[in-house]
């Protein structure tokens, strides 16, 4: 019988976030495939575990993936862990999962820490619909092309970013979406110096270029979606955008809903409940 590949999430900063089920799984498997064995040893030491480790990272190539697959086919069980968070989310796990699925190997994914979810839930931006964009391309042309595709994206957008590229990325985001678009810069999540800066793209650029802020640590950028553009009759989403505009001009939520509903010929009641659902009035 073939073995199972377990995707085991590890803490993104706080070692206390490893779940009992993840610890049990690390203990019971025959071996652990690790993105960086030194990082994984810290987690294993914290749990008081010792296990055979195999290296599996972006540069270890097809050979190490094939070796892991062969061991699984021979009946061994394997836990895949990456440096932080959930394997296969913006890290090399994706490829190993694909190979296992192709070869009919059972894959189990354990729920646990994932930076994008922590950031989204902290952002204060709508969580009802969102799109995860991972890392933007490093090539300037490709990254601007990708941002151009997102110009009319109405869902909240989530990006991963490294500190040395933060300022360039903020500049590109401002150029693509405008200075008024809201952003939550979430850094060092679950760590001692966790910080969430809720601001606009214009202010974020100013803070990091003209101000005294220096990019430090790991970032997740959560960016507000565009107001929906439609040539058909206005929708309740259009109403919500108008309410936000009126609120920004200083109107109370109640008055803004009343006025937006009147302007767009929407039901006041429906708009009110939609705003509640979106949590936009908090
Ligand atoms: N698989 C991971 C997950 O589940 O989130 C993501 C791995 S990806 C290679 C690493 C990126 O995740 C970092 O560059 C950063 O954007 C984000 N990240 C990871 N840990 C973070 C933290 N503690 N605070 C903020 N961002 C973090």
């Amino acid at each position: 019988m073939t073995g199972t590949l377990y995707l085991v999430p590890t803490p993104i900063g706080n070692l206390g976030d490893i779940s009992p089920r993840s610890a049990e799984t690390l203990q019971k498997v025959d071996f652990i495939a690790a993105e960086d064995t030194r990082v994984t040893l810290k987690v294993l030491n914290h749990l008081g575990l010792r296990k055979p480790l195999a290296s599996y990272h972006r540069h270890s190539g097809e050979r190490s993936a094939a070796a892991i697959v062969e061991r699984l086919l021979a009946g061994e069980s394997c836990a895949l862990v990456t440096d932080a968070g959930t394997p296969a989310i913006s890290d090399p796990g994706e490829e190993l999962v694909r190979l296992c699925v192709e070869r009919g190997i059972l894959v189990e994914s354990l729920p646990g820490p994932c930076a994008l979810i922590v950031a989204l839930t902290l952002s204060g931006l709508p969580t009802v619909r969102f799109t995860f964009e991972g890392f933007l391309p490093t090539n300037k042309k490709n990254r601007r092309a990708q941002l151009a595709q997102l110009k009319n994206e109405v869902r909240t957008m989530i990006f991963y970013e490294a500190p040395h590229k933060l300022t360039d990325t903020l500049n590109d985001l401002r150029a693509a979406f405008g200075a008024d678009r809201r952003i939550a810069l979430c850094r060092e999540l679950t760590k001692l110096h966790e910080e969430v800066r809720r601001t606009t793209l214009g202010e974020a650029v100013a803070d990091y270029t003209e101000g005294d802020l220096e990019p430090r640590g790991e970032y997740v950028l959560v960016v507000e979606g565009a107001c929906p553009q439609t040539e058909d009759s206005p929708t309740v989403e259009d109403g919500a955008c108008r309410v936000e505009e009126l609120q920004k001009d200083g109107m109370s939520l109640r008055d803004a809903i009343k006025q937006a509903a009147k302007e767009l010929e929407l039901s006041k009641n429906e708009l009110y409940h939609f705003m509640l659902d979106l949590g936009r009035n908090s």
Side-chain angles (χ1 to χ4, degrees):
M1 214 173 96
T2 60
T4 299
L5 175 72
Y6 296 92
L7 308 180
V8 179
T10 51
I12 58 169
N14 186 328
L15 280 173
D17 289 337
I18 190 115
S19 76
R21 187 173 164 217
S22 293
E24 256 170 51
T25 305
L26 291 174
Q27 181 164 32
K28 80 175 181 191
V29 291
D30 295 307
F31 71 103
I32 296 172
E35 186 177 8
D36 183 334
T37 50
R38 290 162 306 178
V39 175
T40 302
L41 272 176
K42 279 191 203 148
V43 178
L44 294 180
N45 288 340
H46 171 74
L47 298 171
L49 295 176
R50 297 186 84 176
K51 274 283 157 186
L53 294 173
S55 218
Y56 179 70
H57 51 81
R58 216 173 282 286
H59 309 291
S60 59
E62 283 170 18
R63 264 229 242 117
S64 69
I68 293 167
V69 168
E70 286 313 314
R71 289 177 74 172
L72 285 158
L73 287 172
E76 286 189 79
S77 58
C78 170
L80 173 66
V81 297
T82 49
D83 284 354
T86 299
I89 298 297
S90 289
D91 64 31
E94 178 184 347
E95 180 60 9
L96 187 59
V97 172
R98 188 183 63 77
L99 289 172
C100 286
V101 169
E102 275 175 15
R103 302 296 295 271
I105 295 164
L106 190 66
V107 182
E108 271 189 35
S109 180
L110 280 61
C114 184
L116 78 102
I117 297 298
V118 180
L120 174 67
T121 51
L122 279 174
S123 67
L125 294 169
T127 59
V128 65
R129 295 180 69 206
F130 63 89
T131 164
F132 175 55
E133 296 295 319
F135 291 99
L136 284 165
T138 39
N139 172 290
K140 219 179 218 177
K141 200 170 145 215
N142 294 346
R143 119 209 220 96
R144 290 188 179 162
Q146 189 156 324
L147 287 173
Q149 282 177 3
L150 290 169
K151 193 170 166 44
N152 297 319
E153 176 56 68
V154 294
R155 295 170 293 180
T156 299
M157 294 167 277
I158 306 168
F159 302 89
Y160 280 168
E161 197 47 283
H164 64 281
K165 288 194 266 157
L166 182 77
T167 316
D168 282 349
T169 297
L170 289 175
N171 269 308
D172 287 347
L173 289 171
R174 183 181 61 173
F177 305 137
D180 291 337
R181 193 71 77 84
R182 288 185 294 167
I183 179 172
L185 295 100
C186 307
R187 60 177 278 272
E188 297 291 87
L189 294 168
T190 77
K191 300 184 189 175
L192 189 61
H193 299 292
E194 171 174 306
E195 181 188 54
V196 182
R197 186 170 285 269
R198 300 176 184 89
T199 180
T200 60
L201 286 171
E203 280 170 17
V205 170
D207 287 345
Y208 281 97
T209 51
E210 299 141 28
D212 54 4
L213 284 185
E214 269 181 47
R216 264 206 205 118
E218 300 189 274
Y219 285 83
V220 183
L221 307 176
V222 187
V223 181
E224 176 184 34
C227 277
Q229 301 284 314
T230 168
E231 280 158 30
D232 303 319
S233 40
T235 62
V236 75
E237 284 89 353
D238 299 326
C241 285
R242 183 64 187 134
V243 169
E244 281 187 352
E245 280 170 11
L246 292 168
Q247 280 186 295
K248 274 184 200 156
D249 290 338
M251 203 176 266
S252 72
L253 174 68
R254 214 182 118 138
D255 288 347
I257 290 176
K258 205 165 146 193
Q259 170 139 347
K262 192 170 163 205
E263 282 176 14
L264 301 176
E265 297 180 346
L266 294 167
S267 148
K268 211 167 51 182
N269 220 8
E270 198 188 335
L271 185 53
Y272 174 76
H273 283 106
F274 185 77
M275 295 301 295
L276 278 190
D277 283 345
L278 276 183
R280 287 185 177 187
N281 56 340
S282 59

